[in-house]
Amino acid sequence: LDGNKRSGAYAFVWFLQKVGLLNTHEISPQALTAITLLIAESSPSDKDKMTGLVIMLLGASRERNE
């Protein structure tokens, strides 16, 4: 990963933690790394798909906690 992707990956994880959407008990570090790399390597034309994937994964994680 180049510097911009590393910065983006850090910002992604930081933001999820800051707004309380990242539950490290539900999403393993390995899964979070895989999701972050998938997003970083995805084509800009797949932005909507990647957004939908993250929303779906975070929603499923939050539903298990309620």
Side-chain angles (χ1 to χ4, degrees):
L1 291 175
D2 65 22
N4 289 337
K5 289 180 183 172
R6 280 192 294 271
S7 297
Y10 176 82
F12 173 65
V13 172
W14 177 85
F15 173 78
L16 292 177
Q17 287 180 324
K18 190 74 170 169
V19 298
L21 293 175
L22 181 59
N23 182 346
T24 55
H25 295 95
E26 291 290 325
I27 299 176
S28 71
Q30 295 85 358
L32 185 58
T33 300
I35 293 165
T36 303
L37 289 172
L38 175 67
I39 292 168
E41 293 296 322
S42 67
S43 169
S45 64
D46 291 332
K47 177 186 170 208
D48 292 337
K49 291 177 188 174
M50 295 299 111
T51 302
L53 174 67
V54 171
I55 290 170
M56 180 185 71
L57 291 171
L58 292 174
S61 177
R62 290 186 77 174
E63 287 174 5
R64 283 193 293 265
N65 290 330
E66 293 177 353

